[in-house]
Amino acid sequence: MNLKRIALTVLVVFTTNSLLAQKKRDLIKEIESYEKSVVGNASFDKDHSEVWNAIYIIASEEYNTISRESESKGYIEAIQETTTYKEHITIEIRGDKPPYRVSFQVKQERRTKKEDGSLTNWESFTSNTLQSYYFRLQKRLFELLNGPLELSEKLNIKIEQYNSKQSKARKKVLKGKDY
C-alpha cells in the first residue's frame, strides 16, 4: 500500500514538473513568436541616413571587411573569410521614401583541406542556424532604430503570472536569459 502511494506521489511530482517545464517552453515560444512578428514585419519611418547608419553599424559589428557600399543606393556588402569558410552579406534599404524596409541576404561557402594540404573548391551551403541569424540581425536593426523591443502588455501579464507561481529563480522566465 505504501509503495503504491509513493509511486503515485512520484508520478504526480514528475508530471507537475514536466507540465511546468512544458508551460515555460510554451511561454518562451510565444515570446519568440511575438518578437519575430514585430521585428520581421518592421518598416522604419526614419530618415534614409538613420537607416543607413544602422545597417553600417551592423555590417561593421558582424563582418571583418566591408567590400562595397553605397549610401545613396542604400546597400552594403560585407565579407568574413577564413581559409576554409566565407560568408558574404548584402544589406539593402528597400523603398524610395519612408517607411523603409531592410533586407538581409547571406551567402555561405566552405571548402576543406585535402590530405596533401591543398584546398578543395569553394562550395555553397546553408547553415541550419541561418534563420535565427537573420532574426538576430533584424532584431539588432529594430533596436538600433526604435530602442529596445517591448513585449505586449498581454504577454508581460502572462510572464508575471507564470513567474509569481515559481518558487525558484531558475524556473522563472527572465529577460536576458530566456528571451
Side-chain angles (χ1 to χ4, degrees), residues 6-44:
I6 292 171
L8 184 59
T9 303
V10 168
L11 181 63
V12 167
V13 168
F14 179 73
T15 304
T16 303
N17 286 341
S18 294
L19 289 173
L20 287 175
Q22 181 64 41
K23 185 167 181 159
K24 181 176 181 177
R25 278 193 300 271
D26 291 344
L27 188 53
I28 291 170
K29 283 181 183 177
E30 189 174 343
I31 293 166
E32 289 171 351
S33 176
Y34 173 80
E35 288 180 335
K36 284 178 182 176
S37 71
V38 171
V39 169
N41 297 321
S43 57
F44 305 101

Side-chain angles (χ1 to χ4, degrees), residues 44-62:
F44 305 101
D45 197 11
K46 307 280 184 183
D47 289 338
H48 189 270
S49 62
E50 283 182 80
V51 179
W52 167 258
N53 290 336
I55 68 172
Y56 193 88
I57 288 169
I58 291 169
S60 299
E61 289 174 347
E62 295 289 322

Side-chain angles (χ1 to χ4, degrees), residues 31-32 34-36 38-46 50-51 53-55 57-58 61-62 102 104 133-151 175-177 179:
I31 293 166
E32 289 171 351
Y34 173 80
E35 288 180 335
K36 284 178 182 176
V38 171
V39 169
N41 297 321
S43 57
F44 305 101
D45 197 11
K46 307 280 184 183
E50 283 182 80
V51 179
N53 290 336
I55 68 172
I57 288 169
I58 291 169
E61 289 174 347
E62 295 289 322
V102 175
F104 296 89
Y133 182 59
Y134 280 133
F135 172 69
R136 187 169 62 82
L137 294 174
Q138 290 168 330
K139 186 174 180 183
R140 177 77 172 120
L141 177 66
F142 182 92
E143 290 178 341
L144 283 170
L145 292 170
N146 297 330
L149 177 61
E150 299 295 329
L151 298 179
K175 185 172 187 162
K177 178 184 166 224
Y179 66 97

Side-chain angles (χ1 to χ4, degrees), residues 98-116:
Y100 297 105
R101 297 189 56 95
V102 175
S103 70
F104 296 89
Q105 184 176 358
V106 175
K107 179 183 175 191
Q108 298 170 316
E109 296 177 281
R110 65 179 166 209
R111 62 185 177 180
T112 56
K113 284 188 177 183
K114 296 178 186 176
E115 288 180 17
D116 65 1

Side-chain angles (χ1 to χ4, degrees), residues 62-65 78-88 107-113 119-123 125:
E62 295 289 322
Y63 294 87
N64 321 33
T65 308
I79 186 170
Q80 183 144 315
E81 187 173 1
T82 65
T83 55
T84 58
Y85 178 79
K86 258 196 261 190
E87 185 172 287
H88 305 264
K107 179 183 175 191
Q108 298 170 316
E109 296 177 281
R110 65 179 166 209
R111 62 185 177 180
T112 56
K113 284 188 177 183
L119 296 167
T120 61
N121 291 331
W122 289 106
E123 57 183 58
F125 77 102

